[in-house]
């Protein structure tokens, strides 16, 4: 009885010899009461669960964070488009004659390195035909212009891929967002490869042509088009996560306005792509008068190439004529859209989007005409190109305001 009192309710467990249990383990088993062992097990289980349990991220916080990130990404793409336009206008795009993902990130440092880079450039058609009297100082300027564009492109890639990996790991992305983010990251990589594919077209020797070396207008349009798709996709997804959706009554007039807005936005996009053909062919320097082209409304050389379809993509006169028609059609459609919206009761934010679209459209037309009449000065032409991106952004904002509520 005394032994039982001293042990405090513990029980003696006899372990046979040869069982492999050490004396210390035998002592622990003998000294620990059953109730203590049960409590210790419960505490351990709760502790392990507390380590594994992660509090869920609220949907509002998740959407706000990812939406802001995508808006920042779309801003970096817009910067790349603007910088690419300046690079094209200063004829700097063919100054870097090779492409390396990491090695070219370090610019030449010494005089010998610059001379070696300049010698590489001298082996290609642009120097031989157009810039044969260029100095090393002039070469440095165009080289740094192209270098800035390429480094900005790498910054765009990092702005997409690194946060995407972080948000994916932390559970910020649902299934729908995961597929969109994967598509955006893939498009960023494709955009970089397409840029080098475009530059290569300007470095090739063309024995059958005496024209000045330039990149293919087809590849330039594809490069700009993929950048616009990346920009619009990022902007649309960001707006969808940040802006609350309006509960608009589904009337016949609203349905008509929504369809009209879709068509107008498509026209604005097509006008921007036609601008790439104008830039690729230097078509802004053919007829520097407005509204007529020279002394005629329809120039004589409009369909000078054969077959006729070739004129729409390779004849500078036809390309400029098409861009004029598309620009006038876009501003006319936007004016009609504004007048139609006045007949429909719309929320204040939606009306602001319509008014902004109208204002930016007329500003863009004014910039385009001024660029033409002044023989394409670089600052004005770069502003005109950036204006097309702003116009497309406002059109996308208006579409977002008018979208149908999910059932």
């Amino acid at each position: 009885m005394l032994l039982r009192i001293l042990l405090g309710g513990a029980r003696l467990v006899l372990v046979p010899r040869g069982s492999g249990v050490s004396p210390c383990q035998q002592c622990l088993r003998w000294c620990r009461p059953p109730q203590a062992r049960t409590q210790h097990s419960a505490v351990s289980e709760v502790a392990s669960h507390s380590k594994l349990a992660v509090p869920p991220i609220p949907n509002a916080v998740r959407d706000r964070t990812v939406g802001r990130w995508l808006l920042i990404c779309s801003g970096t793409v817009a910067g790349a488009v603007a910088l690419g336009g300046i690079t094209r206008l200063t004829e700097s795009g063919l100054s870097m004659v090779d492409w390396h993902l990491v090695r070219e990130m370090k610019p030449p440092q010494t005089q010998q390195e610059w001379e070696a880079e300049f010698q590489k450039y001298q082996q290609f058609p642009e120097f031989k035909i157009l810039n044969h009297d260029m100095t090393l100082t002039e070469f440095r300027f165009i080289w740094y212009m192209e270098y800035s564009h390429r480094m900005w492109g790498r910054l765009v890639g990092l702005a997409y891929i690194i946060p995407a990996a972080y948000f994916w790991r932390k559970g910020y992305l649902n299934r729908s967002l995961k597929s969109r983010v994967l598509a955006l990251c893939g498009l960023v990589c494709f955009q970089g490869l397409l840029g080098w594919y475009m530059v290569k077209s300007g470095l090739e020797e063309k024995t059958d042509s005496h024209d000045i070396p330039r990149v293919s207008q087809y590849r330039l349009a594809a490069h700009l088009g993929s950048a616009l798709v990346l920009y619009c996709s990022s902007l649309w997804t960001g707006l969808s996560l940040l802006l609350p959706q309006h509960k608009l009554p589904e009337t016949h007039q609203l349905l008509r306005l929504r369809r009209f807005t879709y068509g107008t936005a498509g026209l604005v996009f097509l006008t921007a792509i036609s601008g790439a053909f104008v830039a690729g062919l230097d078509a802004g320097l053919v007829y520097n008068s407005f509204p007529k082209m020279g002394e005629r409304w329809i120039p004589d050389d409009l369909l000078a190439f054969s077959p006729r379809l070739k004129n729409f993509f390779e004849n500078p006169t036809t390309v400029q004529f098409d861009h004029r028609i598309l620009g006038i059609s876009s501003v006319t459609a936007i004016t009609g859209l504004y007048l139609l919206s006045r007949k429909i009761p719309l929320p204040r934010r939606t009306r602001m989007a319509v008014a902004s679209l109208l204002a930016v459209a007329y500003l863009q037309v004014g910039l385009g005409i001024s660029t033409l009449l002044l023989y394409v000065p670089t600052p004005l032409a770069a502003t005109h190109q950036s204006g097309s991106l702003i116009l497309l952004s406002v059109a996308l904002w208006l579409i977002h305001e008018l979208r149908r509520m999910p059932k």
Side-chain angles (χ1 to χ4, degrees):
M1 178 64 71
L2 180 60
L3 180 62
R4 185 174 182 179
I5 293 172
L6 290 174
L7 292 177
R11 61 181 180 178
L12 183 63
V13 181
L14 298 178
V15 180
R17 292 186 178 181
S19 61
V21 181
S22 65
C24 293
Q25 291 174 333
Q26 294 179 16
C27 180
L28 287 173
R29 289 187 181 184
W30 178 74
C31 296
R32 183 184 299 164
Q35 183 179 3
R37 287 200 305 270
T38 305
Q39 291 176 353
H40 176 75
S41 171
V43 170
S44 300
E45 186 176 355
V46 170
S48 64
H49 277 293
S50 64
K51 290 180 181 180
L52 295 176
V54 178
I57 303 169
N59 289 338
V61 175
R62 179 198 67 190
D63 292 348
R64 187 165 58 250
T65 305
V66 176
R68 288 173 178 172
W69 162 60
L70 289 174
L71 288 187
I72 292 173
C73 287
S74 64
T76 61
V77 176
V81 171
L83 190 56
I86 298 173
T87 304
R88 176 72 188 90
L89 289 165
T90 54
E91 297 181 346
S92 307
L94 300 178
S95 56
M96 296 180 70
V97 296
D98 47 17
W99 189 87
H100 303 283
L101 184 61
V102 178
R103 195 169 66 188
E104 72 178 23
M105 294 178 69
K106 181 183 178 182
Q109 301 293 324
T110 64
Q111 182 72 12
Q112 291 77 15
E113 290 177 348
W114 274 112
E115 289 177 356
E117 193 72 24
F118 192 26
Q119 287 176 1
K120 287 195 296 182
Y121 174 69
Q122 292 172 356
Q123 307 303 314
F124 289 87
E126 185 176 69
F127 177 83
K128 295 177 181 179
I129 300 174
L130 188 63
N131 295 330
H132 51 84
D133 57 347
M134 175 176 280
T135 64
L136 181 59
T137 303
E138 294 170 333
F139 171 72
R140 284 187 179 186
F141 171 77
I142 64 171
W143 192 93
Y144 269 119
M145 286 299 304
E146 174 65 10
Y147 175 79
S148 301
H149 183 53
R150 293 193 184 189
M151 292 305 104
W152 190 272
R154 284 163 174 76
L155 176 65
V156 172
L158 293 176
Y160 275 92
I161 294 173
I162 294 179
Y166 174 80
F167 290 139
W168 192 300
R169 181 179 179 84
K170 293 296 183 179
Y172 277 69
L173 307 177
N174 56 30
R175 180 176 296 180
S176 175
L177 278 177
K178 283 181 179 179
S179 59
R180 291 189 189 185
V181 167
L182 275 179
L184 292 175
C185 292
L187 193 55
V188 168
C189 299
F190 173 74
Q191 177 72 0
L193 296 174
L194 190 57
W196 172 240
Y197 179 66
M198 176 193 69
V199 170
K200 282 183 64 178
S201 66
L203 299 175
E204 299 168 353
E205 295 276 359
K206 299 175 183 177
T207 56
D208 57 339
S209 175
H210 301 284
D211 198 3
I212 61 173
R214 56 165 64 99
V215 299
S216 164
Q217 68 272 24
Y218 297 102
R219 299 186 189 183
L220 177 61
H223 188 48
L224 176 63
S226 63
L228 293 181
V229 169
L230 176 63
Y231 172 78
C232 292
S233 302
S234 304
L235 181 62
W236 177 268
T237 308
L239 291 177
S240 301
L241 293 172
L242 291 174
L243 292 183
Q245 195 167 347
H246 296 300
K247 295 181 179 180
L248 300 174
E250 291 295 327
T251 62
H252 177 72
Q253 285 182 321
L254 180 64
L255 181 61
R256 184 183 174 190
L257 179 65
R258 186 182 290 141
R259 290 175 178 173
F260 198 179
T261 305
Y262 291 156
T264 303
L267 191 58
V268 170
F269 184 88
L270 186 60
T271 306
I273 297 300
S274 76
F277 283 92
V278 173
L281 292 171
D282 289 328
L285 299 172
V286 220
Y287 287 95
N288 296 95
S289 57
F290 189 86
K292 292 184 178 181
M293 299 182 71
E295 298 297 325
R296 303 175 64 90
W297 290 101
I298 299 178
D300 295 330
D301 56 342
L302 187 66
L303 298 175
F305 291 7
S306 182
R308 289 191 172 185
L309 184 62
K310 191 177 181 181
N311 290 278
F312 294 94
F313 305 102
E314 299 183 15
N315 186 345
T317 300
T318 314
V319 166
Q320 189 195 117
F321 181 81
D322 292 343
H323 191 61
R324 291 184 183 215
I325 297 299
L326 287 170
I328 294 171
S329 301
S330 296
V331 75
T332 304
I334 291 171
T335 305
L337 181 66
Y338 175 78
L339 296 176
L340 180 61
S341 69
R342 302 293 294 176
K343 302 177 182 179
I344 305 173
L346 295 172
R348 181 176 177 272
R349 199 175 68 200
T350 308
R351 289 200 173 279
M352 188 184 303
V354 177
S356 301
L357 183 64
L358 184 70
V360 174
Y362 278 95
L363 178 62
Q364 176 69 353
V365 169
L367 285 171
I369 296 173
S370 302
T371 302
L372 185 68
L373 296 179
L374 296 175
Y375 291 86
V376 197
T378 298
L380 200 57
T383 306
H384 179 56
Q385 178 174 317
S386 301
S388 67
L389 197 61
I390 297 174
L391 185 62
L392 187 61
S393 305
V394 181
L396 206 66
W397 174 29
L398 179 58
I399 293 176
H400 186 275
E401 292 293 322
L402 295 174
R403 61 178 177 160
R404 190 191 303 271
M405 286 285 292
K407 295 181 178 179

